[in-house]
Amino acid sequence: MSTKDHLIIFDTTLRDGEQSPGASMTRDEKVRIAKALEKLKVDVIEAGFPIASPGDFEGVKAVAAVIKDSRVCGLARAMDKDIDRAGEALAGARAGRIHTFIATSPIHMEKKLGMSPDQVLEQAVHAVKRALRYTDDVEFSPEDAGRSEIDFLCRILEAVIDAGARTVNIPDTVGYNIPDQFGSLIRTLKERVVNADKAIFSVHCHNDLGLATANSLAAVRNGARQVECTINGLGERAGNAALEEIVMAVRTRQDLFDCDVGLDTTHIVPCSRLVSSITGFPVQPNKAVVGANAFAHEAGIHQDGVLKNRETYEIMRAEDVGWNANRMVLGKHSGRNALRSRLLELGVVLSSEEELNAAFSRFKDLADKKHDIYDEDLQALVSDANLDAAKERVKLVSLRVCSETGETPSADLVLMVDGAERPGTATGGGPVDATFRAIESIVASATVLKLYSVNAITSGTDAQGEVTVRLEKGGRIVNGQGADTDIVIASAKAYLNAVNKILQPLARAHPQIGDV
Ligand code: KIV
Ligand code: ZN
């Protein structure tokens, strides 16, 4: 039995990660990711900001209803209406936490809140007490702690711990801190706050200077016992500390840490893929732990070393983080039950026989084009918006592209728009460009294309291409995904998926900017 402390892993992919422009998720997508996080055995899942919109409320409620082994958390500003809404969303949770926050840096208090430090302190204490009406597990964050005055931080932390906060989280909201300085901030707070022993100290680092992981680890070495992080480092601007990096650093360097994590790390890579495919944020190949090259050895000298003894160049085992995990392969002859049970294992619950029928028919179409169907293909099958197709206003009926040496590429397509078939045609610099122009000739979305990327989901020339399209309109950003063995069709699906999102009205608040 280890005598080490337990390091709590608090995942905020579904809240801070989702605040990343274009990364918004539906309720069902949140539930799928939450189930994957539960399998990974994260301690706390921050599922959203319930007051932001009815959709956010439903997302937190749905996660709270299905997750049994992790604690489910909802974010609330230090305001009664936020806290009550969070309490309501978490009512069905087996173990729920309310995370309430208010800014404490001089610039935030003066310019954003227009409040004095005493008023901020009073509101923080009031918020913690109100949250205790709903759960005994209350976390408090002094937002922008990384730029706050230490005396005031000590004062407010002592007051909220006295009021009943069990966890006090120190956010480096704007990613301004540097590892040794952030580590000593945590140490100083733990030494100076007189009732520090009554609460867990947590950290929440943003990556604006590329230091989120380093700052979090420095904090752990100085007494933090909870780290807030996201899968793939997803998050606003440069993102949050990456869960996979924190967890594997602590695991790999047990000689340096006096605490350990309780995660089943073999689920890290599948979880990373799921988040990437749902949000459309690709993982760069050289990303630590989960990048495609993280365990690939190109240079001959490295390969030779690894073949003789893997530890010459590998500090972690690929299989320990879920690379090459056994992936059940389905094919042409697999039946509906095999599909249903594999999807269930992947956390996908089809809510009706019609949904299963639709998924099965697309599975059969795919199996006609592709011999082996992997988990990644199934993820794409259910996340490329196909399952939601019935609800979409604009759908692809047919597409024909012509691309020939020396000729201008052209696309002819038919879309179904609000139930009526509409033909469109266009030429372009390439078949994808022509297809997007043909779609625009019908929908006239007035959006700007911000990103177009193609990823092969599995290996082989029959692999499905997974396309991400990012569109912007009036400052609002959406991502669309599409997957198909034909990448022009995948591109059309992705573009339409994004257009359909832009067509939906958005009434949603950001927790750290503006009002609800
Ligand atoms: O970055 C931040 O300060 C936050 C708080 C809401 C904890 O996300
Ligand atoms: Zn944050």
Side-chain angles (χ1 to χ4, degrees):
M1 225 355 233
S2 162
T3 54
K4 290 193 166 190
D5 282 0
H6 176 66
L7 177 64
I8 298 167
I9 297 297
F10 175 116
D11 180 278
T12 182
T13 308
L14 301 179
R15 198 279 296 171
D16 218 340
E18 206 226 6
Q19 278 172 223
S20 183
S24 65
M25 303 164 200
T26 64
R27 186 195 58 185
D28 294 349
E29 288 168 342
K30 281 193 163 194
V31 167
R32 283 171 59 206
I33 293 178
K35 284 188 173 166
L37 292 169
E38 186 182 38
K39 256 195 190 164
L40 184 58
K41 295 200 167 96
V42 306
D43 301 281
V44 186
I45 298 172
E46 188 166 51
F49 176 47
I51 194 126
S53 71
D56 288 72
F57 176 84
E58 290 304 329
V60 176
K61 195 171 161 190
V63 170
V66 298
I67 297 301
K68 300 291 166 226
D69 298 333
S70 306
R71 200 164 272 278
V72 179
C73 176
L75 184 73
R77 290 168 304 181
M79 292 178 173
D80 289 358
K81 60 179 179 178
D82 282 37
I83 292 165
D84 295 346
R85 197 75 173 135
E88 210 185 318
L90 293 168
R94 191 195 55 78
R97 170 181 294 188
I98 295 180
H99 176 192
T100 184
F101 74 99
I102 188 164
T104 52
S105 63
I107 183 168
H108 276 228
M109 288 191 289
E110 191 193 321
K111 305 278 185 230
K112 183 174 98 171
L113 302 175
M115 288 170 76
S116 71
D118 284 344
Q119 287 171 322
V120 165
L121 187 143
E122 196 184 317
Q123 194 161 322
V125 168
H126 175 82
V128 168
K129 288 188 178 154
R130 188 156 187 116
L132 285 167
R133 291 184 183 180
Y134 299 96
T135 169
D136 58 359
D137 187 351
V138 175
E139 171 172 333
F140 173 76
S141 290
E143 187 194 3
D144 204 17
R147 291 189 300 170
S148 299
E149 282 166 3
I150 185 112
D151 289 347
F152 183 52
L153 271 185
C154 290
R155 208 151 71 79
I156 198 167
L157 293 179
E158 183 185 334
V160 295
I161 295 171
D162 257 352
R166 256 201 215 171
T167 305
V168 286
N169 177 46
I170 310 302
D172 182 16
T173 303
V174 289
Y176 178 68
N177 286 245
I178 302 290
D180 56 350
Q181 164 254 320
F182 193 63
S184 66
L185 170 67
I186 301 304
R187 180 167 294 269
T188 309
L189 289 173
K190 288 200 73 175
E191 282 165 3
R192 283 189 47 191
V193 173
V194 290
N195 49 4
D197 60 323
K198 307 251 171 351
I200 303 276
F201 276 65
S202 164
V203 288
H204 174 113
C205 297
H206 279 269
N207 205 29
D208 299 67
L209 293 173
L211 294 171
T213 297
N215 284 338
S216 307
L217 294 174
V220 173
R221 299 217 338 122
N222 283 281
R225 285 296 175 263
Q226 173 176 291
V227 175
E228 303 198 352
C229 44
T230 58
I231 299 288
N232 301 336
L234 190 70
E236 286 200 87
R237 308 183 308 277
N240 288 61
L243 177 145
E244 61 277 7
E245 295 174 9
I246 307 282
V247 166
M248 290 317 292
V250 171
R251 265 288 156 82
T252 306
R253 296 307 308 269
Q254 276 292 292
D255 55 327
L256 295 180
F257 288 96
D258 50 6
C259 54
D260 197 4
V261 293
L263 272 71
D264 178 352
T265 60
T266 60
H267 291 286
I268 285 180
V269 169
C271 209
S272 155
R273 287 200 174 132
L274 180 65
V275 170
S276 170
S277 94
I278 284 179
T279 59
F281 278 52
V283 174
Q284 76 199 52
N286 57 333
K287 167 81 181 62
V289 185
V290 293
N293 288 355
F295 292 88
H297 297 274
E298 182 73 39
I301 185 163
H302 286 203
Q303 285 177 357
D304 184 51
V306 171
L307 289 176
K308 285 181 179 140
N309 179 337
R310 62 193 300 164
E311 285 172 24
T312 45
Y313 285 98
E314 272 186 15
I315 57 164
M316 299 168 267
R317 297 185 332 156
E319 52 272 38
D320 288 348
V321 296
W323 285 105
N324 320 323
N326 267 345
R327 297 173 309 173
M328 185 169 151
V329 180
L330 300 183
K332 213 180 169 79
H333 302 294
S334 308
R336 294 154 56 92
N337 279 341
L339 175 68
R340 189 205 312 254
S341 60
R342 190 61 196 151
L343 284 175
L344 265 180
E345 280 171 38
L346 295 172
V348 180
V349 184
L350 299 172
S351 52
S352 62
E353 274 307 295
E354 290 81 70
E355 270 195 9
L356 177 62
N357 289 344
F360 189 62
S361 120
R362 286 202 321 284
F363 167 75
K364 283 287 173 193
D365 287 348
L366 182 60
D368 277 341
K369 299 183 211 152
K370 194 170 183 293
H371 189 257
D372 295 329
I373 303 204
Y374 297 96
D375 287 349
E376 289 85 344
D377 292 311
L378 296 181
Q379 302 275 23
L381 203 81
V382 291
S383 65
D384 73 347
N386 282 323
L387 281 185
D388 277 340
K391 299 173 207 147
E392 294 196 327
R393 285 183 57 191
V394 188
K395 293 179 220 169
L396 180 67
V397 177
S398 64
L399 168 63
R400 193 171 69 87
V401 286
C402 191
S403 175
E404 194 180 335
T405 334
E407 296 295 326
T408 305
S410 63
D412 287 289
L413 50 74
V414 177
L415 299 182
M416 182 79 80
V417 184
D418 292 331
E421 286 201 358
R422 305 265 309 271
T425 183
T427 54
V432 172
D433 186 40
T435 302
F436 289 179
R437 286 171 190 271
I439 293 174
E440 278 302 324
S441 74
I442 302 170
V443 299
S445 70
T447 52
V448 181
L449 180 67
K450 289 286 186 190
L451 174 115
Y452 170 75
S453 81
V454 190
N455 227 350
I457 296 182
T458 54
S459 52
T461 49
D462 69 346
Q464 289 196 85
E466 186 174 49
V467 174
T468 300
V469 164
R470 185 172 301 157
L471 297 179
E472 194 248 357
K473 184 175 183 178
R476 181 171 166 211
I477 293 178
V478 295
N479 280 334
Q481 281 85 45
D484 201 282
T485 49
D486 179 323
I487 62 159
V488 183
I489 295 178
S491 303
K493 285 183 183 175
Y495 196 92
L496 289 173
N497 183 221
V499 165
N500 276 297
K501 286 184 182 170
I502 276 284
L503 292 177
Q504 283 163 16
L506 179 82
R508 182 176 201 217
H510 185 294
Q512 290 156 277
I513 309 166
D515 203 2
V516 178

